[in-house]
Amino acid sequence: MAPGPSLDAALRVAREFDLPSDQVQRGVDEFLSQMAEGMAKNGTNLSQIPTYVTSVPNGTEKGLYLAVDLGGTNFRVCSINLRGDSTFDLTQSKVAIPRDLMVAPSYKELFKFLAKQVESFLETHHNEHFEATVRRRRLTGTTDEYRREEIFDLGFTFSFPVHQTSINRGTLIRWTKGFDIPDAVGQDVCLMLQDAINELHLPVRVAALVNDTVGTLMARSYTSPGKTETVIGAIFGTGTNGAYVEKLNRLTKLNTKGEPAADATQQMVINTEWGSFDNNLSVLPNTLYDQQLDAASVNPGIQMFEKRVSGMFLGEILRLAILGLAKDATARLLRGDGTLIPTDSPLYTPWGIDTSFLSVIEADTTSDLAETKAALFEHFKVSNASTDDAQAIQAIGHAIAKRSARLSAIALAAILIDTKRIDTDETVDIGVDGSLVEFYPKFVDYIREAMREIKGIGEKEKKVRIGIAKDGSGVGAALIALVAHKGYAIESR
Ligand code: ADP
Ligand code: MG
């Protein structure tokens, strides 16, 4: 049977999201040049931020640490016991960040909320410790005259662009992922949290400021099989970003004050902030739907790579594409007899489609796409969608996610080429984290497929190992808190 009108039109839209090999290649070339620019000066698309993390773990690290993670969608609090044999125990709690705290005139409410989560975590999971120290500190009003071993060192995973000046100091450069709290920009991120923690007299020291990409890199390096050190940590969650191990002497912008150049063996983890790769759109694809999404976002013109790749945006791109087709009378999408879209359908609400919907429809292998139809009804109140409609939506969702994976390959491949890691005989390990890469079917396979098409990678793609850094942000933050306060771990020594 020939495809019906809605499927024909949808396949045309799906093709708009194709990213052919030559465009991937141009992306890599541009990424390489923007990396170089970011190493030499400030204010570039790729910020190439020094993280002050100068070594990666090998699995023997030990100790008990607290970690918190402000991701974009959720806030997690956890305690991690590193066992020193590449394994760990982790206890965690997770809450969704209330929308009204993400866009607010003052940062105080948000950080107060975060500190309260830490408080209830300690009460629930470390009650003995909590009772003993908090009661006393509240009685005496003490905040800094305490015995060091009573204090938890906390790694703060803060996944927004920060100008970092030491392991636990850094000011917010800009908000991303829909956050907008103007008075926080330019403030020290650790101090905002430490102040809120001190208000509650909690026995917690913010010891390290951690970007989630760096945490992922560290966690993967601690847990990854064998002796191989991890080269890249990458996030594909609400947002996307990556960090990698770089030779310090290539970071020439650090060396503007006439300091002697770092010696050739010194390394530092660099946070690329690749979400802002190619903000000027010299190589990135730019469909009508990308343009609509950007225009309606809180930060038009910024994070243009992220807006084509990460979880916060893929659902919205699909929504805009569906709406475009549904409005087009000749396309006949969702216009069959008996098909009904009520006016209060989330299809009509900006950000109304969560990217998890793309995973659900991609995984639907039923012959009449019953699961897709059920999801259309359940999430969007669309009743009696036809099989053609379901196929149409599946095809577009697939194309959007595949484009995202192929764009992701650009960033990963460029770093492997730039650092020459791909040219050694060893396995190249990449740690990844985030719901998109974890749950979207075959996301990593699509990345690998695109990598093989890139000059300088090709067959060598086989040497690349890509693995999820499970609980990466917690474990990674613990590892960095450990590096920051080596010797002051809370465990009895
Ligand atoms: P964070 O970015 O806060 O650390 P996650 O890594 O869980 O959190 O990413 C959340 C993002 O992932 C959201 O944008 C959400 O739409 C998307 N997401 C959640 N579940 C899935 C899924 N099953 N498949 C694809 N994307 C998902
Ligand atoms: Mg995350």
Side-chain angles (χ1 to χ4, degrees):
M1 202 176 67
S6 68
L7 191 49
D8 259 343
L11 293 176
R12 268 200 308 279
V13 172
R15 276 198 298 275
E16 293 182 54
F17 293 97
D18 281 350
L19 197 71
S21 289
D22 62 318
Q23 202 174 353
V24 171
Q25 186 63 50
R26 271 189 287 131
V28 172
D29 298 341
E30 184 61 25
F31 201 97
L32 287 168
S33 106
Q34 295 192 15
M35 274 178 89
E37 199 182 34
M39 300 295 272
K41 55 181 193 235
N42 292 317
T44 53
N45 275 341
L46 289 181
S47 303
Q48 302 287 68
I49 301 171
T51 64
Y52 299 89
V53 174
T54 52
S55 61
V56 292
N58 58 19
T60 61
E61 295 74 11
K62 278 188 188 171
L64 178 64
Y65 293 89
L66 273 187
V68 297
D69 176 5
L70 185 70
T73 303
N74 297 305
F75 182 64
R76 299 182 188 80
V77 185
C78 50
S79 56
I80 302 100
N81 181 27
L82 301 167
R83 290 224 206 84
D85 60 356
S86 290
T87 70
F88 58 87
D89 312 298
L90 179 139
T91 311
Q92 80 159 332
S93 72
K94 175 170 132 176
V95 286
I97 303 157
R99 278 241 133 236
D100 58 319
L101 300 184
M102 296 179 178
V103 180
S106 161
Y107 66 79
K108 292 258 162 62
E109 310 307 309
L110 175 66
F111 283 84
K112 191 173 175 180
F113 172 82
L114 306 185
K116 285 218 176 279
Q117 302 307 315
V118 175
E119 178 179 51
S120 56
F121 179 86
L122 289 176
E123 259 173 325
T124 310
H125 299 291
H126 296 274
N127 192 255
E128 253 169 59
H129 189 82
F130 180 79
E131 287 284 322
T133 59
V134 175
R135 201 183 311 111
R136 187 157 48 75
R137 297 179 73 195
R138 283 185 179 157
L139 280 173
T140 59
T142 318
T143 52
D144 44 18
E145 293 292 314
Y146 40 69
R147 297 218 309 281
R148 203 153 193 167
E149 61 269 31
E150 289 176 343
I151 306 300
F152 277 105
D153 275 327
L154 175 145
F156 182 13
T157 302
F158 182 80
S159 313
F160 300 89
V162 163
H163 174 67
Q164 199 156 354
T165 49
S166 76
I167 199 109
N168 69 344
R169 282 290 169 272
T171 53
L172 177 62
I173 297 171
R174 63 175 178 277
W175 288 108
T176 57
K177 300 182 277 196
F179 277 64
D180 188 16
I181 309 170
D183 74 347
V185 174
Q187 299 271 351
D188 190 292
V189 175
C190 286
L191 288 179
M192 286 190 281
L193 181 61
Q194 187 72 64
D195 285 348
I197 283 173
N198 289 350
E199 294 265 313
L200 299 177
H201 301 281
L202 304 179
V204 175
R205 177 195 307 109
V206 182
L209 177 59
V210 183
N211 187 272
D212 55 354
T213 56
V214 186
T216 298
L217 198 164
M218 300 292 273
R220 172 75 189 169
S221 205
Y222 176 81
T223 55
S224 73
K227 279 192 303 203
T228 316
E229 284 186 353
T230 302
V231 180
I232 303 178
I235 299 289
F236 304 97
T238 310
T240 183
N241 186 16
Y244 70 103
V245 182
E246 179 62 282
K247 291 207 172 70
L248 195 49
N249 63 3
R250 295 185 76 199
L251 197 64
T252 51
K253 69 181 171 187
L254 267 193
N255 196 35
T256 48
K257 295 179 203 103
E259 293 145 20
D263 79 65
T265 61
Q266 278 181 296
Q267 307 197 111
M268 187 182 279
V269 176
I270 303 290
N271 166 15
T272 63
E273 288 298 335
W274 73 38
S276 263
F277 166 57
D278 198 28
N279 278 346
N280 36 316
L281 301 182
S282 61
V283 292
L284 288 177
N286 195 26
T287 67
L288 176 64
Y289 320 104
D290 294 310
Q291 294 165 38
Q292 290 172 341
L293 180 147
D294 185 50
S297 69
V298 294
N299 54 356
I302 298 170
Q303 299 292 103
M304 298 305 251
F305 184 71
E306 179 165 88
K307 283 171 179 161
R308 286 148 178 79
V309 170
S310 74
M312 177 164 177
F313 305 101
L314 301 189
E316 179 66 1
I317 299 175
L318 176 61
R319 191 186 74 87
L320 293 165
I322 292 176
L323 278 192
L325 273 177
K327 272 192 217 129
D328 174 357
T330 60
R332 300 209 53 72
L333 182 72
L334 298 171
R335 282 169 180 245
D337 292 340
T339 305
L340 191 74
I341 319 176
T343 50
D344 66 343
S345 166
L347 279 184
Y348 296 122
T349 314
W351 314 102
I353 297 186
D354 190 276
T355 298
S356 55
F357 175 68
L358 276 75
S359 291
V360 170
I361 61 177
E362 177 73 8
D364 185 359
T365 52
T366 61
S367 61
D368 62 345
L369 297 184
E371 288 163 15
T372 300
K373 291 174 196 168
L376 278 169
F377 180 68
E378 201 182 307
H379 299 292
F380 310 113
K381 305 182 187 176
V382 174
S383 45
N384 300 314
S386 69
T387 301
D388 264 8
D389 289 335
Q391 280 177 342
I393 291 168
Q394 194 187 45
I396 300 172
H398 174 82
I400 291 169
K402 189 162 183 181
R403 187 185 73 164
S404 152
R406 293 176 66 79
L407 287 168
S408 306
I410 289 176
L412 297 176
I415 292 173
L416 296 184
I417 292 168
D418 190 63
T419 55
K420 302 194 164 51
R421 296 288 183 148
I422 198 68
D423 300 325
T424 66
D425 291 335
E426 286 154 40
T427 301
V428 183
D429 194 81
I430 299 177
V432 294
D433 192 16
S435 290
L436 179 64
V437 63
E438 192 172 352
F439 300 122
Y440 190 87
K442 300 209 181 127
F443 196 80
V444 170
D445 295 350
Y446 296 139
I447 291 179
R448 304 192 79 104
E449 186 181 280
M451 272 189 168
R452 284 195 296 276
E453 298 165 20
I454 293 165
K455 254 193 330 225
I457 304 265
E459 280 296 300
K460 289 187 262 183
E461 172 268 333
K462 287 197 194 72
K463 290 193 319 196
V464 180
R465 190 168 70 190
I466 302 180
I468 299 273
K470 198 83 195 102
D471 300 314
S473 66
V475 178
L479 286 160
I480 298 172
L482 178 149
V483 178
H485 274 269
K486 233 179 192 145
Y488 293 109
I490 211 168
E491 60 163 3
S492 52
R493 277 166 284 124

